[in-house]
Amino acid sequence: MAYRWKGDLRESDVTAEAAWLNRRQLMAGAAGLGLAGAAGGRAWAAPEELEPNTWEEITTYNNFYEFGTGKDDPADNAHMLTTSPWTVTIDGMVDRPGDYAFEDIMKKMTLEERIYRLRCVEAWSMVVPWTGFELADLLDLAGVQGGAKYVAFETAMRPDEMPGLSSPVLDWPYVEGLRLDEAVHPLTIMATGIYGRDIPNQNGAPLRLVVPWKYGFKSIKSVVRISLVEEQPPTSWNRYAPNEYGFYSNVNPQVDHPRWSQATERRIGGGLFAPRVPTPMFNGYGEEVASLYAGMDLAENF
Ligand SMILES: Nc1nc2c(c(=O)[nH]1)N[C@H]1C(S)=C(S)[C@@H](COP(=O)(O)O)O[C@H]1N2
Ligand SMILES: [Mo]
């Protein structure tokens, strides 16, 4: 796999990337196919199609408003977040509601590598080699009850550890939501790592949602609560500007944001003069997810 080395990586970061790339090469060799390896041969993680961004890019250009609104604020400030111990409360319409310790969750989940495109609504994009488990498996642990139709998510709210909470940019805590069928779709994961290392705080440690066919803001970080509910839950960006950010927020190059086009995107790491590239419908995951929205008007349900 071709790989671009980037300038001033710290040695530990280079090691993480190098070890990860090495391991992939070994696995590819062993499989004789170049892709079966760690991702279990899932078509949506085929490495020859997606060249991941560097560790440096993925961990220093972030949106995590709890730590500030600048792209480098999360990398500067998120070390303040205590991520151990960590519990995720799973409640609402489940058979086994309660506080689930992060370590106990990890013991029961099957970790996989997933190389996904990440498309921010601001029209930049990256490719991230996540490690994580399917959200469906975590929901199974709690036992979803028949009447549940949506899943609501909440990020930690700790003013002492999150300097961004002092500005009322958003109504804290950050909340998000998915329809239940979106939540249990096999593409939907809870990520706990990047390049095979623990996920850094600025990317949403110790676990964050990743829904690759939706704009990045749906992929809520540092999750402390998951609630199974009957009604469509409120979401932070929809509350902030309902005409700009819908509940679905599926990546859609044909539906522009009111203030800018969504037809193309700027790939982070491409350099100052790199041409913008076309944004694919559902961020390239249409084959897997388009059926979830059959018969829906996607301009109306943006
Ligand atoms: N709690 C929380 N989750 C969040 C955000 C945030 O500000 N707070 N930003 C979102 C946005 S806008 C994007 S694009 C992605 C960015 O993820 P990354 O920094 O890992 O690339 O996280 C999303 N999850
Ligand atoms: Mo975003």
Side-chain angles (χ1 to χ4, degrees), residues 58 61-66 74 118-122 124 126 128 130 155-156 170 172 174 194 199 202-204 208 215-222 237:
I58 296 167
Y61 188 92
N62 299 100
N63 276 335
F64 199 167
Y65 278 19
E66 286 86 336
L118 174 82
R119 170 59 157 82
C120 178
V121 75
E122 298 162 339
W124 53 264
M126 293 196 200
V128 185
W130 304 108
T155 295
L170 291 171
W172 313 109
Y174 195 101
I194 293 173
I199 192 168
Q202 58 267 38
N203 294 85
R208 60 89 61 84
Y215 291 117
F217 66 86
K218 297 292 292 182
S219 292
I220 181 173
K221 294 178 171 181
S222 304
W237 283 100

